[in-house]
Amino acid sequence: MAEFDAKVAIVTGGTSGIGTATAEAFAAKGAKVTVSGRREDKGNSVVESIRKAGGEAIFVKTDIQKSGDVKKMVEKTIDAFGRLDFAVNNAGVEQYFKPLPEQTEDIYSMIMDTNVKGVWMSMKEEIPAMLKTGGGTVVNMSSIAGVVGMANAPIYSASKHAVIGLTKSIALEFAQQNIRVNAILPAAIETPMIDRFTQGQEEAFKYFESLHPVGRVGKPQEVADACIWLCSEKSSFVTGSSIRVDGGFTAQ
């Protein structure tokens, strides 16, 4: 019997990178998985991969900034699988480095509405669904930028600080109702996001590697493994915490 047999997970931003690795990791543990994201072709590809490996999954096209989409994401999960046990709120966007005077209100709104409002709205829908079957676990994707500043990317850093605040507060609110809420703080990970930053330049990639004491950037599966641990009974006394998966970056 697999660890998460009869359990159900939602992974937002599940169409690439950390989200895809996490969705596949849940399925490998026996969970039924809703892959959520905006790109239908990518989402269906992830679902097909999970099904080929013997798992169960559906894709729900979701713009995490829209409350109606978030509500539909949870409703379709319940319709398909009958319950919700785990949610990894991974959907997020980065901020390209620009001097403060060049940053716009549109950039601010896009980042905050995705990285903060999206996580908040997701929990508003996910946690009531979990309570109907006795509880569950939420993992929110923050970043090392949630505990350190980032020159020329203050909006992104502020958004990831906010995710940690949401995580702590909601963990306290539901601590006695068998709901655990934690955050993961990755450093640079081999995902399309780092590809956009480095633009295929080897020198830029090596610079990102040099920022980490272990001498490399992380792999999506390493973050996915942390998500799985936080949703397992092995972490049953962990809530309101921020787990750094950062190759020693914030130990410096």
Coordinates of all heavy atoms in Angstrom, one line a residue, residues 1-73:
M1 N 0.8 -1.2 0.0 CA 0.0 0.0 0.0 C 0.9 1.2 0.0 O 1.8 1.4 0.8 CB -0.9 0.0 1.2 CG -1.9 1.2 1.3 SD -3.0 1.1 2.7 CE -3.9 2.6 2.5
A2 N 0.6 2.2 -0.9 CA 1.4 3.4 -1.0 C 1.0 4.3 0.1 O -0.1 4.3 0.6 CB 1.2 4.1 -2.4
E3 N 2.0 5.2 0.4 CA 1.8 6.1 1.6 C 0.6 7.0 1.5 O -0.1 7.2 2.5 CB 3.0 7.0 1.7 CG 3.0 7.9 2.9 CD 4.3 8.7 3.1 OE1 5.1 8.7 2.1 OE2 4.5 9.4 4.1
F4 N 0.2 7.5 0.3 CA -0.9 8.4 0.2 C -2.1 7.8 -0.5 O -2.9 8.5 -1.1 CB -0.4 9.7 -0.5 CG 0.5 10.5 0.2 CD1 1.3 11.4 -0.4 CD2 0.6 10.5 1.6 CE1 2.2 12.2 0.3 CE2 1.5 11.3 2.3 CZ 2.3 12.2 1.7
D5 N -2.2 6.5 -0.5 CA -3.4 5.8 -1.1 C -4.7 6.4 -0.5 O -4.8 6.6 0.7 CB -3.4 4.3 -0.8 CG -2.5 3.6 -1.8 OD1 -2.1 4.2 -2.8 OD2 -2.3 2.3 -1.6
A6 N -5.7 6.7 -1.4 CA -7.0 7.2 -1.0 C -6.9 8.7 -0.6 O -7.9 9.3 -0.2 CB -7.6 6.4 0.1
K7 N -5.7 9.3 -0.7 CA -5.6 10.7 -0.5 C -5.6 11.5 -1.8 O -5.4 11.0 -2.9 CB -4.3 11.0 0.3 CG -4.1 10.3 1.6 CD -5.1 10.8 2.6 CE -4.8 10.2 4.0 NZ -5.7 10.7 5.0
V8 N -5.9 12.8 -1.7 CA -6.1 13.7 -2.8 C -5.3 15.0 -2.6 O -5.3 15.6 -1.6 CB -7.6 14.0 -3.1 CG1 -7.7 15.0 -4.3 CG2 -8.4 12.7 -3.3
A9 N -4.6 15.4 -3.7 CA -3.7 16.6 -3.6 C -4.1 17.5 -4.8 O -4.4 17.1 -5.9 CB -2.3 16.2 -3.7
I10 N -4.0 18.8 -4.5 CA -4.0 19.9 -5.5 C -2.6 20.5 -5.5 O -2.0 20.7 -4.5 CB -5.0 21.0 -5.2 CG1 -6.4 20.5 -5.4 CG2 -4.7 22.2 -6.0 CD1 -7.5 21.5 -5.0
V11 N -2.1 20.7 -6.8 CA -0.8 21.4 -6.9 C -1.1 22.5 -7.9 O -1.3 22.3 -9.1 CB 0.3 20.5 -7.5 CG1 1.6 21.3 -7.6 CG2 0.5 19.3 -6.6
T12 N -1.0 23.8 -7.4 CA -1.1 24.9 -8.3 C 0.2 25.2 -9.0 O 1.3 24.9 -8.4 CB -1.6 26.2 -7.6 OG1 -0.6 26.7 -6.8 CG2 -2.8 25.9 -6.7
G13 N 0.2 25.8 -10.1 CA 1.4 26.0 -10.9 C 2.0 24.6 -11.2 O 3.3 24.5 -11.2
G14 N 1.2 23.7 -11.5 CA 1.7 22.3 -11.7 C 2.1 22.0 -13.1 O 2.4 20.8 -13.4
T15 N 2.2 23.0 -14.0 CA 2.5 22.7 -15.4 C 4.0 22.7 -15.7 O 4.3 22.5 -16.9 CB 1.7 23.7 -16.3 OG1 2.1 25.0 -15.9 CG2 0.2 23.5 -16.1
S16 N 4.8 23.0 -14.7 CA 6.3 23.0 -15.0 C 7.0 23.0 -13.7 O 6.5 23.3 -12.6 CB 6.7 24.3 -15.9 OG 6.5 25.5 -15.1
G17 N 8.4 22.8 -13.8 CA 9.3 23.0 -12.7 C 8.9 22.3 -11.4 O 8.6 21.1 -11.4
I18 N 8.9 23.0 -10.3 CA 8.7 22.5 -9.0 C 7.2 21.9 -9.0 O 7.0 20.8 -8.4 CB 8.8 23.6 -7.9 CG1 10.3 24.0 -7.8 CG2 8.3 23.1 -6.6 CD1 10.5 25.2 -7.0
G19 N 6.3 22.6 -9.6 CA 4.9 22.1 -9.6 C 4.7 20.7 -10.2 O 4.1 19.8 -9.7
T20 N 5.4 20.5 -11.4 CA 5.3 19.3 -12.1 C 5.9 18.2 -11.2 O 5.4 17.1 -11.1 CB 5.9 19.3 -13.5 OG1 5.2 20.2 -14.3 CG2 6.0 18.0 -14.1
A21 N 7.1 18.4 -10.7 CA 7.8 17.5 -9.9 C 7.0 17.1 -8.7 O 7.0 15.9 -8.3 CB 9.2 18.0 -9.5
T22 N 6.3 18.0 -8.1 CA 5.5 17.8 -6.9 C 4.3 17.0 -7.2 O 3.9 16.0 -6.5 CB 5.1 19.1 -6.2 OG1 6.3 19.8 -5.9 CG2 4.3 18.8 -5.0
A23 N 3.6 17.3 -8.3 CA 2.4 16.5 -8.7 C 2.8 15.1 -9.0 O 2.1 14.1 -8.6 CB 1.8 17.2 -10.0
E24 N 3.9 14.9 -9.7 CA 4.4 13.5 -10.0 C 4.8 12.8 -8.7 O 4.6 11.6 -8.6 CB 5.5 13.6 -11.0 CG 5.1 14.0 -12.4 CD 6.2 14.2 -13.4 OE1 7.4 14.3 -12.9 OE2 6.0 14.3 -14.6
A25 N 5.4 13.5 -7.8 CA 5.8 12.9 -6.5 C 4.6 12.4 -5.7 O 4.6 11.3 -5.1 CB 6.6 13.8 -5.7
F26 N 3.5 13.2 -5.7 CA 2.3 12.8 -5.0 C 1.7 11.6 -5.6 O 1.3 10.6 -4.9 CB 1.2 13.9 -5.0 CG 1.3 14.9 -3.9 CD1 1.5 16.3 -4.2 CD2 1.2 14.5 -2.6 CE1 1.6 17.2 -3.1 CE2 1.2 15.5 -1.5 CZ 1.5 16.8 -1.8
A27 N 1.7 11.6 -6.9 CA 1.1 10.4 -7.7 C 1.9 9.2 -7.4 O 1.3 8.1 -7.2 CB 1.0 10.7 -9.1
A28 N 3.2 9.3 -7.3 CA 4.1 8.1 -7.1 C 3.8 7.6 -5.7 O 4.1 6.4 -5.5 CB 5.5 8.5 -7.2
K29 N 3.4 8.4 -4.8 CA 3.0 8.0 -3.4 C 1.6 7.4 -3.3 O 1.2 7.1 -2.2 CB 3.2 9.1 -2.4 CG 4.7 9.5 -2.2 CD 5.5 8.6 -1.4 CE 6.8 9.1 -1.0 NZ 7.6 8.1 -0.2
G30 N 0.9 7.4 -4.4 CA -0.5 6.9 -4.4 C -1.6 7.9 -4.4 O -2.8 7.5 -4.4
A31 N -1.3 9.2 -4.2 CA -2.4 10.2 -4.2 C -3.0 10.4 -5.5 O -2.3 10.3 -6.6 CB -1.8 11.5 -3.6
K32 N -4.2 10.8 -5.6 CA -4.9 11.3 -6.8 C -4.6 12.8 -6.8 O -4.7 13.5 -5.8 CB -6.4 11.0 -6.7 CG -6.7 9.5 -6.6 CD -8.2 9.3 -6.3 CE -8.4 7.8 -6.1 NZ -9.8 7.5 -5.7
V33 N -4.3 13.3 -8.0 CA -3.7 14.7 -8.1 C -4.5 15.5 -9.1 O -4.8 15.1 -10.2 CB -2.3 14.6 -8.5 CG1 -1.7 16.0 -8.5 CG2 -1.5 13.7 -7.7
T34 N -4.8 16.8 -8.6 CA -5.3 17.8 -9.5 C -4.1 18.7 -9.9 O -3.5 19.3 -9.0 CB -6.4 18.7 -8.9 OG1 -7.6 17.9 -8.7 CG2 -6.8 19.9 -9.7
V35 N -3.8 18.8 -11.1 CA -2.8 19.6 -11.6 C -3.4 20.9 -12.1 O -4.3 20.9 -13.0 CB -2.0 19.0 -12.8 CG1 -0.9 19.9 -13.4 CG2 -1.4 17.7 -12.4
S36 N -3.0 22.0 -11.5 CA -3.7 23.3 -11.8 C -2.7 24.3 -12.4 O -1.5 24.3 -12.0 CB -4.2 23.9 -10.5 OG -4.5 25.3 -10.6
G37 N -3.2 25.0 -13.4 CA -2.3 26.0 -14.1 C -3.0 26.7 -15.2 O -4.2 26.3 -15.5
R38 N -2.4 27.6 -15.8 CA -3.0 28.3 -16.9 C -2.8 27.7 -18.3 O -3.5 27.9 -19.2 CB -2.5 29.8 -17.0 CG -2.9 30.6 -15.8 CD -2.4 32.0 -15.9 NE -1.0 32.1 -15.8 CZ -0.3 33.3 -15.9 NH1 -1.0 34.4 -16.0 NH2 1.0 33.3 -15.8
R39 N -1.7 26.9 -18.5 CA -1.4 26.3 -19.8 C -1.9 24.9 -19.9 O -1.4 24.0 -19.4 CB 0.2 26.3 -19.9 CG 0.8 27.8 -19.9 CD 2.3 27.7 -20.0 NE 2.8 27.1 -18.8 CZ 4.1 26.8 -18.6 NH1 5.0 27.1 -19.6 NH2 4.5 26.3 -17.5
E40 N -3.0 24.9 -20.7 CA -3.7 23.6 -20.9 C -2.9 22.5 -21.5 O -3.0 21.4 -21.0 CB -5.0 23.9 -21.7 CG -6.0 22.8 -21.6 CD -7.4 23.2 -22.0 OE1 -7.6 24.4 -22.4 OE2 -8.3 22.4 -22.0
D41 N -2.1 22.9 -22.5 CA -1.3 21.8 -23.2 C -0.3 21.2 -22.2 O -0.1 20.0 -22.1 CB -0.6 22.4 -24.4 CG 0.3 23.6 -24.1 OD1 0.0 24.3 -23.1 OD2 1.2 23.9 -24.9
K42 N 0.4 22.1 -21.4 CA 1.4 21.6 -20.5 C 0.7 20.8 -19.4 O 1.2 19.8 -18.9 CB 2.1 22.8 -19.9 CG 3.0 23.6 -20.9 CD 4.2 22.8 -21.3 CE 5.1 23.7 -22.1 NZ 6.3 23.0 -22.6
G43 N -0.4 21.3 -18.9 CA -1.1 20.6 -17.8 C -1.6 19.2 -18.3 O -1.4 18.2 -17.5
N44 N -2.1 19.1 -19.5 CA -2.6 17.8 -20.0 C -1.4 16.9 -20.2 O -1.5 15.6 -20.0 CB -3.3 18.0 -21.3 CG -4.7 18.6 -21.0 OD1 -5.3 18.4 -20.0 ND2 -5.2 19.3 -22.0
S45 N -0.2 17.4 -20.5 CA 1.0 16.6 -20.7 C 1.4 16.0 -19.3 O 1.8 14.8 -19.3 CB 2.1 17.5 -21.3 OG 3.3 16.7 -21.4
V46 N 1.3 16.8 -18.3 CA 1.7 16.3 -16.9 C 0.7 15.2 -16.5 O 1.1 14.2 -16.0 CB 1.7 17.5 -15.9 CG1 2.0 16.9 -14.5 CG2 2.8 18.5 -16.3
V47 N -0.6 15.4 -16.7 CA -1.6 14.4 -16.4 C -1.3 13.1 -17.2 O -1.4 12.0 -16.6 CB -3.0 15.0 -16.7 CG1 -4.0 13.9 -16.6 CG2 -3.3 16.1 -15.7
E48 N -1.0 13.2 -18.4 CA -0.8 12.1 -19.2 C 0.4 11.3 -18.7 O 0.4 10.0 -18.6 CB -0.5 12.5 -20.7 CG -0.3 11.3 -21.6 CD 0.0 11.7 -23.1 OE1 -0.1 12.9 -23.4 OE2 0.2 10.8 -23.9
S49 N 1.5 12.0 -18.3 CA 2.7 11.4 -17.7 C 2.3 10.6 -16.5 O 2.8 9.5 -16.2 CB 3.7 12.4 -17.5 OG 4.9 11.9 -16.8
I50 N 1.5 11.2 -15.6 CA 1.1 10.6 -14.4 C 0.3 9.3 -14.6 O 0.5 8.3 -14.0 CB 0.3 11.6 -13.5 CG1 1.3 12.6 -12.9 CG2 -0.4 10.8 -12.3 CD1 0.6 13.8 -12.2
R51 N -0.6 9.4 -15.6 CA -1.5 8.3 -15.9 C -0.7 7.1 -16.5 O -0.9 6.0 -16.2 CB -2.6 8.7 -16.8 CG -3.6 9.6 -16.2 CD -4.7 10.1 -17.1 NE -5.7 10.9 -16.4 CZ -6.6 11.6 -17.1 NH1 -6.6 11.7 -18.4 NH2 -7.5 12.3 -16.4
K52 N 0.3 7.5 -17.3 CA 1.2 6.4 -17.9 C 2.0 5.7 -16.9 O 2.3 4.5 -17.0 CB 2.1 7.1 -19.0 CG 1.5 7.4 -20.3 CD 2.5 7.9 -21.3 CE 1.8 8.1 -22.6 NZ 2.8 8.7 -23.6
A53 N 2.3 6.4 -15.8 CA 3.0 5.8 -14.7 C 2.1 5.0 -13.7 O 2.5 4.5 -12.7 CB 3.8 6.8 -13.9
G54 N 0.8 5.0 -14.0 CA -0.2 4.2 -13.2 C -0.9 5.1 -12.2 O -1.7 4.5 -11.4
G55 N -0.7 6.4 -12.2 CA -1.4 7.3 -11.3 C -2.7 7.8 -11.8 O -3.1 7.6 -12.9
E56 N -3.4 8.6 -10.9 CA -4.7 9.2 -11.3 C -4.5 10.7 -11.2 O -4.0 11.2 -10.1 CB -5.8 8.8 -10.4 CG -6.3 7.3 -10.6 CD -7.5 7.0 -9.7 OE1 -8.5 7.7 -9.9 OE2 -7.5 6.1 -8.9
A57 N -4.9 11.4 -12.2 CA -4.8 12.9 -12.2 C -5.8 13.5 -13.1 O -6.2 12.9 -14.1 CB -3.4 13.3 -12.6
I58 N -6.1 14.8 -12.8 CA -6.9 15.6 -13.7 C -6.2 17.0 -13.9 O -5.4 17.4 -13.0 CB -8.3 15.8 -13.3 CG1 -8.4 16.6 -11.9 CG2 -9.1 14.5 -13.2 CD1 -9.8 17.0 -11.5
F59 N -6.5 17.7 -14.9 CA -6.0 19.0 -15.1 C -7.2 20.0 -15.0 O -8.2 19.8 -15.6 CB -5.3 19.3 -16.4 CG -5.0 20.7 -16.7 CD1 -4.0 21.3 -16.0 CD2 -5.7 21.4 -17.7 CE1 -3.7 22.7 -16.2 CE2 -5.4 22.8 -17.9 CZ -4.4 23.4 -17.2
V60 N -7.0 21.1 -14.2 CA -8.0 22.1 -14.1 C -7.3 23.4 -14.5 O -6.4 23.9 -13.8 CB -8.6 22.2 -12.7 CG1 -9.7 23.4 -12.7 CG2 -9.3 20.9 -12.3
K61 N -7.8 24.0 -15.6 CA -7.2 25.3 -16.0 C -7.6 26.4 -15.0 O -8.8 26.6 -14.7 CB -7.7 25.6 -17.4 CG -7.0 26.9 -18.0 CD -7.5 27.1 -19.4 CE -6.7 28.4 -20.0 NZ -7.2 28.6 -21.4
T62 N -6.6 27.1 -14.5 CA -6.8 28.0 -13.4 C -5.9 29.2 -13.5 O -4.7 29.1 -13.6 CB -6.5 27.3 -12.0 OG1 -7.2 26.1 -11.9 CG2 -7.0 28.2 -10.9
D63 N -6.6 30.4 -13.4 CA -5.8 31.6 -13.2 C -5.9 31.9 -11.7 O -7.0 32.3 -11.2 CB -6.4 32.8 -14.1 CG -5.7 34.1 -13.9 OD1 -4.9 34.2 -12.9 OD2 -5.8 35.0 -14.8
I64 N -4.8 31.8 -11.0 CA -4.8 31.8 -9.6 C -5.2 33.2 -9.1 O -5.5 33.4 -7.9 CB -3.5 31.4 -9.0 CG1 -3.6 30.7 -7.7 CG2 -2.5 32.5 -9.0 CD1 -4.3 29.4 -7.8
Q65 N -5.2 34.2 -9.9 CA -5.6 35.6 -9.6 C -7.2 35.8 -9.5 O -7.6 36.8 -9.0 CB -5.1 36.6 -10.5 CG -3.5 36.7 -10.6 CD -3.0 37.7 -11.5 OE1 -3.6 38.8 -11.6 NE2 -1.9 37.5 -12.2
K66 N -7.9 34.8 -10.0 CA -9.4 34.9 -10.2 C -10.1 34.0 -9.2 O -9.9 32.8 -9.2 CB -9.8 34.6 -11.6 CG -9.2 35.6 -12.6 CD -9.6 35.2 -14.0 CE -9.0 36.1 -15.1 NZ -9.4 35.7 -16.5
S67 N -10.9 34.6 -8.3 CA -11.5 33.8 -7.3 C -12.4 32.7 -7.9 O -12.5 31.6 -7.3 CB -12.3 34.7 -6.4 OG -13.3 35.4 -7.1
G68 N -13.1 33.0 -9.0 CA -14.0 32.0 -9.6 C -13.2 30.8 -10.1 O -13.6 29.6 -10.0
D69 N -12.0 31.0 -10.6 CA -11.2 29.9 -11.1 C -10.7 29.1 -9.9 O -10.6 27.9 -10.0 CB -9.9 30.5 -11.8 CG -10.2 30.8 -13.3 OD1 -11.4 30.9 -13.6 OD2 -9.3 30.9 -14.1
V70 N -10.3 29.8 -8.8 CA -9.8 29.0 -7.6 C -10.9 28.2 -7.1 O -10.7 27.0 -6.7 CB -9.3 30.0 -6.6 CG1 -8.9 29.3 -5.3 CG2 -8.1 30.8 -7.2
K71 N -12.1 28.7 -7.0 CA -13.3 28.0 -6.5 C -13.6 26.8 -7.4 O -13.8 25.7 -6.9 CB -14.5 28.9 -6.4 CG -15.7 28.3 -5.8 CD -16.9 29.3 -5.7 CE -18.1 28.7 -5.1 NZ -17.9 28.4 -3.7
K72 N -13.5 27.0 -8.7 CA -13.7 25.9 -9.6 C -12.7 24.8 -9.5 O -13.0 23.6 -9.6 CB -13.7 26.4 -11.0 CG -13.9 25.4 -12.1 CD -13.8 26.0 -13.5 CE -12.4 26.4 -13.8 NZ -12.2 26.9 -15.2
M73 N -11.4 25.2 -9.2 CA -10.3 24.2 -9.0 C -10.6 23.3 -7.9 O -10.5 22.0 -8.1 CB -9.0 25.0 -8.7 CG -7.8 24.2 -8.4 SD -6.4 25.2 -7.9 CE -6.9 25.7 -6.3

